[in-house]
Amino acid sequence: MTTPSGGSTPDDYWRRPDTGDDAVADQPPAAPATTPPTGHANPPQSGHAGPPPAGPTNLPPTGHARPASTGHPPSGYSGPPPSVPPPAGWRPPVHLQPAPPRQLPPQDMADLDAAEQRSQRVTYGFGAAAGVVLLVLLCLLCSRVIF
C-alpha cells in the first residue's frame, strides 16, 4: 500500500470528491429546499435531456409522509425498509421422509474401563520417564556448577 502525498489523511480516499462550490469534504452536498418528489420523476418536456434531478428519485414510494425539508442534509441512517411477514403456508411441501435413526451398538463397560486403565498406565509411564530424565539433567547441571 502506498501513502498518499500532500498531507492527506487515509480516509480521504473514501470521501466524495468536491463539487467545486466550496463544499465541506465531510458532508454530502445539501438538497435543495423545495418540496420532495412524491412519486416517479416526470421526464423533461423539451427535446434535450437536462441534468439529473437532485435527491434520491429511484426509491419506491412507501406510502409514508416524509418529514419537511429544513435545508439541512439528512443525518444518519434512516433504518431498513419495512418488511412484510411471509404468508402462512410459505414452506415447500415435504415429499421424502427421512429414515428413523439407527440404534447404536451396546457398549461393553468392562472393556471400556480396561482400555482406560491401560491408557492411564501409558500416560503415567511417559510422565515418569520424562521426570527421571529431567532429574538426571538437573543433577548433572548442578554438579557442573558446584564442582
Side-chain angles (χ1 to χ4, degrees), residues 6-123:
S8 60
T9 63
D11 291 336
D12 286 344
Y13 179 78
W14 302 106
R15 290 200 176 114
R16 294 182 185 195
D18 279 344
T19 58
D21 56 354
D22 297 333
V24 178
D26 292 339
Q27 295 181 357
T34 61
T35 59
T38 58
H40 297 291
N42 293 332
Q45 298 298 329
S46 62
H48 80 288
T57 59
N58 59 351
L59 297 175
T62 58
H64 299 289
R66 291 180 137 179
S69 175
T70 59
H72 297 288
S75 62
Y77 175 63
S78 64
S83 62
V84 178
W90 69 273
R91 295 188 186 271
V94 178
H95 296 290
L96 297 175
Q97 293 293 331
R102 297 177 298 183
Q103 293 293 323
L104 291 174
Q107 296 180 355
D108 184 10
M109 295 305 240
D111 191 32
L112 286 174
D113 288 339
E116 186 177 350
Q117 288 174 358
R118 284 192 304 268
S119 64
Q120 190 175 18
R121 281 190 210 116
V122 170
T123 302

Side-chain angles (χ1 to χ4, degrees), residues 133-147:
V133 168
L134 288 176
L135 184 64
V136 168
L137 288 175
L138 182 66
C139 290
L140 285 173
L141 184 65
C142 288
S143 67
R144 292 289 261 173
V145 171
I146 294 175
F147 299 113

